[in-house]
Amino acid sequence: MKVFHSLPLTEKLVNPVVTIGTFDGVHIGHTKILDRLKKRASNINGQSVVITFNPHPRQVLFPDDDNLKLLSTQQEKIELLDRNGIDILIIIEFTREFSRLTALEFIRDILVNQVGVSELIIGYDHHFGRNREGSIESLKEMAQTFDFKVEEIPAEEIDEVTISSTKIRKAITEGDMHTANAFLGYDFGFRGIVEHGQKLGKSLGFPTANIHIPEKVKIIPQKGVYAVRVTCNFQTHKGVMNIGYRPTVDNSPQLRIEVHIFDFDQDIYGKEIGVHVVHKLRDEQKFEGLEQLKTQIGKDVVAARSILEKA
């Protein structure tokens, strides 16, 4: 997959069949749209093209809204779309200036003159342009003027995408990874940088990687203990993760993400690792002391190993 981070493009596309959207998470609802995109492109010997935006439009239009939580970062989205076999990804920088383009300007100046769209696959309720003035009806009119085809995605399929996204976010915030991963079509994950901690886990016999996630809008699972898979140095390992405030230790004012990687002894401070969340084992809880905490961590490790062997 070729990725373009700006316009104009540096090469001419071949019969591009285009769809537009945020594609957050690139879940099973999205894959139906992407499969249709690829099929239409194949039918006309063209290229499948996804146009998306960075940052997310809501971050620009509502900068004070802290409620936005995304299933995927830009890099994760790129990898997911690549995995889905898309030919071309165009990432348009979303700015206030861009948001003021009229529907006509967006179609004429970007889709037609810069991308060279042959066919556009779009949702029934899609609105675009300044103040969302562009509708599917006006889009079809402009398609006749500028000589490209429009295929409208049925309402039930768009609703399925919306429902899937809502259910995934709800499931993750509730720690229901079975539901979240089923709707995603893969195990939910995140990346983070390993930072120095207090080395308490090591003193208990369970050294942990303390993870900092730079992207503040990345959604994080509910507090608790999870069975996870960890990617590090191009290898995958099993592990157990705690998300919470460490009530037994110090009642940390900040949410902490700590991962104990099984059978692992490498210096990874400052490195980026990936965590794929498979199953929630239990809620975070306060124990009477460190010995009780150590005993419970041992039980968590046994439980996580068992689950990960079967998953």
Side-chain angles (χ1 to χ4, degrees):
M1 182 179 75
K2 289 187 177 180
V3 182
F4 296 94
H5 291 272
S6 62
L7 294 171
L9 304 180
T10 56
E11 65 180 68
K12 180 177 174 57
L13 304 186
V14 179
N15 298 330
V17 180
V18 179
T19 192
I20 305 168
T22 56
F23 286 92
D24 184 31
V26 194
H27 53 65
I28 58 173
H30 292 130
T31 57
K32 289 188 176 183
I33 297 172
L34 297 175
D35 287 345
R36 179 174 299 166
L37 184 76
K38 292 184 291 184
K39 184 176 181 179
R40 288 300 306 151
S42 176
N43 288 345
I44 64 171
N45 295 316
Q47 294 173 296
S48 55
V49 180
V50 170
I51 295 178
T52 191
F53 309 98
N54 187 59
H56 191 286
R58 276 180 56 186
Q59 290 177 270
V60 175
L61 299 177
F62 307 102
D64 297 326
D65 182 5
D66 296 327
N67 295 320
L68 177 65
K69 295 297 178 184
L70 300 179
L71 298 171
S72 55
T73 64
Q74 177 176 301
Q75 184 57 40
E76 289 167 348
K77 186 191 300 185
I78 290 172
E79 293 173 4
L80 290 166
L81 289 169
D82 185 29
R83 193 186 305 170
N84 274 273
I86 298 304
D87 295 320
I88 304 291
L89 173 62
I90 301 172
I91 303 173
I92 295 177
E93 181 184 6
F94 195 92
T95 62
R96 286 198 172 274
E97 182 182 6
F98 177 82
S99 73
R100 288 191 283 267
L101 286 179
T102 65
L104 173 60
E105 288 169 335
F106 178 74
I107 295 298
R108 181 192 62 205
D109 298 344
I110 293 179
L111 287 186
V112 176
N113 292 341
Q114 299 196 49
V115 178
V117 57
S118 292
E119 297 187 21
L120 182 64
I121 297 177
I122 210 74
Y124 78 101
D125 64 344
H126 186 80
H127 288 76
F128 57 97
R130 185 171 56 205
N131 299 323
R132 293 170 56 84
E133 64 184 10
S135 64
I136 190 70
E137 289 76 20
S138 60
L139 184 57
K140 289 178 178 178
E141 292 176 6
M142 284 186 270
Q144 292 181 335
T145 301
F146 295 109
D147 192 27
F148 63 90
K149 296 180 180 178
V150 175
E151 179 181 346
E152 184 178 356
I153 302 168
E156 58 269 20
E157 292 190 29
I158 293 298
D159 289 342
E160 181 180 332
V161 170
T162 303
I163 291 169
S164 296
S165 297
T166 301
K167 285 187 174 181
I168 292 167
R169 291 188 180 93
K170 183 173 185 291
I172 291 173
T173 57
E174 293 177 351
D176 181 3
M177 303 314 300
H178 176 76
T179 297
N181 294 340
F183 274 95
L184 283 168
Y186 56 88
D187 290 338
F188 170 78
F190 56 85
R191 288 188 177 91
I193 306 298
V194 179
E195 298 184 327
H196 286 277
Q198 296 176 320
K199 308 293 191 297
L200 177 63
K202 187 175 182 179
S203 69
L204 294 175
F206 301 99
T208 58
N210 295 268
I211 303 173
H212 167 67
I213 301 175
E215 295 84 1
K216 294 181 179 179
V217 295
K218 175 72 177 183
I219 194 169
I220 299 299
Q222 181 189 52
K223 290 186 303 177
V225 180
Y226 296 83
V228 299
R229 289 191 176 91
V230 180
T231 54
C232 178
N233 294 333
F234 305 102
Q235 293 183 324
T236 301
H237 309 269
K238 300 180 178 69
V240 63
M241 171 179 69
N242 182 77
I243 299 178
Y245 297 95
R246 308 201 310 177
T248 305
V249 180
D250 56 8
N251 254 339
S252 170
Q254 293 183 326
L255 188 73
R256 292 177 177 266
I257 302 174
E258 302 170 295
V259 179
H260 170 61
I261 307 173
F262 302 155
D263 311 313
F264 186 84
D265 185 20
Q266 296 179 28
D267 184 353
I268 54 175
Y269 289 118
K271 292 188 176 181
E272 182 183 75
I273 66 173
V275 179
H276 308 275
V277 190
V278 178
H279 179 79
K280 184 177 180 182
L281 299 173
R282 62 177 176 85
D283 291 335
E284 184 182 44
Q285 60 191 98
K286 183 174 182 177
F287 298 96
E288 292 181 2
L290 293 182
E291 279 303 314
Q292 194 177 81
L293 172 61
K294 180 179 178 179
T295 299
Q296 182 60 54
I297 295 175
K299 294 178 181 178
D300 295 336
V301 168
V302 172
R305 284 185 185 275
S306 176
I307 288 168
L308 294 169
E309 285 296 329
K310 300 172 185 176

